[in-house]
Amino acid sequence: MAIQGPEIKFDGYNMLLNECVNKRAVREGQRVHAHMIKTCYLPPVYLSTRLIVLYTKCECLGSARHVFDEMPERNVVSWTAMISGYSQRGFASEALHLFVQMLRSDTEPNEFTFATVLTSCTGVLGFELGRQIHSLIIKRNYESHIFVGSSLLDMYAKAGGIHEAQGIFECLPERDVVSCTAIISGYAQLGLDEEALELFRRFQREGMSSNYVTYASLLTALLPAFGNRA
C-alpha cells in the first residue's frame, strides 16, 4: 500500500479488508480506511459495506455508523449490515429506527434484513412494530423462508404468543435445529413443560439434530419436575 500510494484500487482494498474482517483486525482495518481517505479514494458500496462489517464485528459501532452515514449511496446489504450490527450488540431501538429509515429510503428489505430486525422486536413497543413487520413480510412473501420464519416464531414465543409461534412453525416448508429449538424454548419459558417435552420427542423421532441451546431449553422444562421430586 505504501509503495503503490494512490495507485491502489478496488482489488487491493478488497483483499486487505476481507483479511481484516476474517481476522477481526480492527487496527489494520483502520489503516486501510485511513489510506482511502488520505488518497481521496471514494470506495464503491461494496467496500464501504465491508468497512461497516469490520467495525461492527470489532464492536466499533460509532465508526461503522460514521462510514454508513458518509456513503453517497447504499444498497440492501449495507443497510442490513448496519441494522445487524445494532441488533447483535443489543441496541434494539437503533436497529428498529434504522429499519424504518430504510423503508423510507425505498430500499427493499430482503430475507436477511427481516430475520435480523425481528431479533430487536422486544418489549411492548418492539413487539407492536414486530407485528407490523410481520404484515410486511406476508406482503413480500418471505414468511415461509426458514431464517425469517424462525425469527418470527422466536419473537412471538418470547412475547407469550405461543399459538402464533406454533402456527408459523407448522407453516414452515422446512425446519432446522434453530426453528425447532425456538418453539421448544417458547413452550418451556411459558411453563408449558409437557408440551415442550412432547415436541422434543416428536422432533427426535423425525430425526432432528440438537445443539446446546436445544438442551438448555429442555432443561428449563425439566427443572420443575426435578423440583417436585425433591
Side-chain angles (χ1 to χ4, degrees):
M1 281 176 62
I3 294 170
Q4 290 183 358
E7 294 178 9
I8 187 169
K9 296 299 179 186
F10 176 84
D11 288 341
Y13 286 129
N14 185 41
M15 177 188 69
L16 288 165
L17 284 178
N18 280 336
E19 194 68 16
C20 290
V21 169
N22 292 337
K23 295 186 176 180
R24 298 183 183 234
V26 67
R27 289 194 177 185
E28 289 76 5
Q30 287 170 331
R31 292 188 183 118
V32 176
H33 189 189
H35 191 274
M36 289 180 181
I37 297 170
K38 186 177 179 180
T39 57
C40 299
Y41 176 74
L42 184 63
V45 174
Y46 174 80
L47 285 184
S48 293
T49 303
R50 294 306 288 167
L51 279 170
I52 292 171
V53 171
L54 170 68
Y55 285 134
T56 55
K57 279 194 171 186
C58 297
E59 301 187 37
C60 301
L61 289 179
S63 297
R65 185 58 189 262
H66 179 74
V67 173
F68 180 82
D69 288 339
E70 292 292 313
M71 292 175 72
E73 60 177 306
R74 305 170 186 129
N75 60 17
V76 63
V77 181
S78 48
W79 281 99
T80 302
M82 194 66 242
I83 292 169
S84 176
Y86 281 133
S87 293
Q88 291 177 5
R89 301 301 170 194
F91 293 93
S93 60
E94 288 84 350
L96 293 172
H97 180 70
L98 199 61
F99 178 74
V100 172
Q101 282 186 272
M102 178 185 181
L103 295 179
R104 288 174 179 167
S105 75
D106 291 327
T107 304
E108 190 72 18
N110 62 19
E111 64 271 27
F112 301 108
T113 319
F114 284 124
T116 297
V117 75
L118 283 169
T119 62
S120 292
C121 294
T122 56
V124 177
L125 293 176
F127 180 64
E128 282 306 310
L129 185 55
R131 292 175 71 92
Q132 294 176 38
I133 293 172
H134 187 185
S135 298
L136 194 60
I137 287 168
I138 294 171
K139 288 181 181 178
R140 301 292 197 279
N141 295 316
Y142 282 116
E143 192 175 24
S144 61
H145 194 284
I146 185 66
F147 297 141
V148 180
S150 295
S151 293
L152 271 173
L153 73 89
D154 186 58
M155 179 193 75
Y156 279 112
K158 285 179 178 176
I162 196 64
H163 296 298
E164 291 92 338
Q166 183 67 42
I168 291 167
F169 180 80
E170 296 298 341
C171 289
L172 286 175
E174 58 177 302
R175 298 159 188 164
D176 61 3
V177 64
V178 176
S179 54
C180 291
T181 299
I183 195 68
I184 290 172
S185 176
Y187 276 106
Q189 288 173 11
L190 290 174
L192 301 170
D193 309 323
E194 287 300 322
E195 290 85 346
L197 290 169
E198 181 52 42
L199 274 175
F200 178 75
R201 295 187 192 103
R202 170 188 157 188
F203 298 151
Q204 289 289 94
R205 290 194 299 268
E206 293 174 358
M208 180 196 81
S209 58
S210 306
N211 59 22
Y212 72 96
V213 183
T214 316
Y215 292 118
S217 301
L218 197 62
L219 283 172
T220 302
L222 289 171
L223 281 175
F226 284 120
N228 292 334
R229 290 178 186 177

